[in-house]
Amino acid sequence: SFLYTCQPYFNHLESTARSNLLDFSQQLCDKLEQLMLTYARHSLLCLDETKPDSLSHFCIGQTQLGRLRLTVFRYCKPTPYLAQVNTGLYKRMRWNVERLRDGLQQAGGEQGGGSEDTEYYFLCYEDIPIASAEAFDESQGVSHGNVVRMWSIGQWVQINPNTEDIYDWIMCEVPQAYYHQLLFLGSDEPSSSGATELLQQLLCVGFSHSDVTSVENWTSFFQAG
């Protein structure tokens, strides 16, 4: 009975501590990003993905969700979705999602074999033209001239090469893929931790490749559940 009475306090402490850790993680990510941009401005490193010596992104953490292992990357600046093709999409984050074998999961992800498959998900934005800057409701986000910036989470779907043959990959100068949008986020850029949490929710419940939903509908779904 006493433990049951204390549970709300433990829940409050847990949520407060986790929130503080997420805030610290976000601050560290922001500071590291600014440091990388400063180095780039002084020509100490290159952020252009088309260059072989570029350093366009950095790892900001790894977590495991059942049989899924997520490795999270942050791009130092908005980077074209495809290196040599103008798709109008710019990526800000990437998640490598590995589906682990049973042996690897039981061993804590360190032994027992490799991953069965790796999927790639991205946080991207696209500048959508609007009729006029005055027609855009500034309370909903930030306009950039005659366009509004819209954010989404989507999956990398490989087009070329479309085989696992190592020779096809060697002959392919730049892999090509299309962006399969899964979750529409609106015009406000999410934090790194917030975007990762949304992707984790997507992966937890699974999703249909034919379904694209908005973050409002997705939030309502979890609140109703």
Side-chain angles (χ1 to χ4, degrees):
S1 177
F2 176 75
L3 291 176
Y4 182 81
T5 304
C6 291
Q7 185 173 343
Y9 298 96
F10 282 116
N11 290 343
H12 175 71
L13 291 173
E14 171 70 9
S15 63
T16 302
R18 183 167 297 172
S19 176
N20 289 338
L21 289 174
L22 288 176
D23 289 343
F24 176 75
S25 176
Q26 185 65 49
Q27 292 175 24
L28 184 62
C29 173
D30 293 341
K31 294 297 184 182
L32 184 55
E33 181 178 309
Q34 291 303 315
L35 181 63
M36 299 282 283
L37 292 173
T38 300
Y39 283 160
R41 282 196 298 269
H42 290 83
S43 301
L44 297 176
L45 56 83
C46 176
L47 304 180
D48 186 353
E49 278 197 325
T50 62
K51 307 297 183 182
D53 59 344
S54 68
L55 187 61
S56 62
H57 56 278
F58 55 93
C59 181
I60 59 173
Q62 186 179 90
T63 184
Q64 191 159 325
L65 196 66
R67 294 184 59 192
L68 300 178
R69 182 167 60 199
L70 282 71
T71 306
V72 189
F73 299 89
R74 176 77 176 178
Y75 287 88
C76 301
K77 65 177 184 178
T79 302
Y81 182 65
L82 297 178
Q84 297 184 2
V85 178
N86 181 17
T87 63
L89 284 168
Y90 291 85
K91 52 194 178 186
R92 284 297 268 146
M93 292 181 66
R94 187 184 83 234
W95 298 271
N96 294 3
V97 179
E98 300 173 82
R99 299 187 179 276
L100 305 176
R101 297 192 182 99
D102 291 337
L104 187 60
Q105 180 188 1
Q106 294 172 1
E110 296 179 357
Q111 298 177 353
S115 60
E116 294 179 352
D117 192 18
T118 302
E119 299 171 347
Y120 304 95
Y121 298 85
F122 290 86
L123 171 68
C124 292
Y125 75 76
E126 183 178 11
D127 288 334
I128 307 296
I130 54 178
S132 65
E134 292 77 12
F136 178 67
D137 184 359
E138 293 185 358
S139 65
Q140 297 180 1
V142 179
S143 62
H144 301 263
N146 290 327
V147 298
V148 58
R149 184 158 294 175
M150 292 297 182
W151 293 86
S152 63
I153 292 175
Q155 184 178 8
W156 172 279
V157 180
Q158 190 76 30
I159 297 176
N160 182 42
N162 59 0
T163 69
E164 297 297 327
D165 193 322
I166 186 63
Y167 295 105
D168 291 337
W169 282 89
I170 293 174
M171 296 301 295
C172 180
E173 183 177 353
V174 180
Q176 299 296 316
Y178 73 86
Y179 179 73
H180 179 67
Q181 187 181 106
L182 298 172
L183 187 61
F184 176 73
L185 303 177
S187 55
D188 293 328
E189 179 181 3
S191 65
S192 299
S193 57
T196 299
E197 183 176 354
L198 287 171
L199 178 64
Q200 288 177 330
Q201 292 174 356
L202 275 171
L203 295 171
C204 278
V205 301
F207 52 85
S208 168
H209 285 282
S210 62
D211 292 338
V212 178
T213 187
S214 68
V215 68
E216 291 83 3
N217 293 338
W218 194 250
T219 303
S220 299
F221 171 81
F222 273 90
Q223 289 175 343

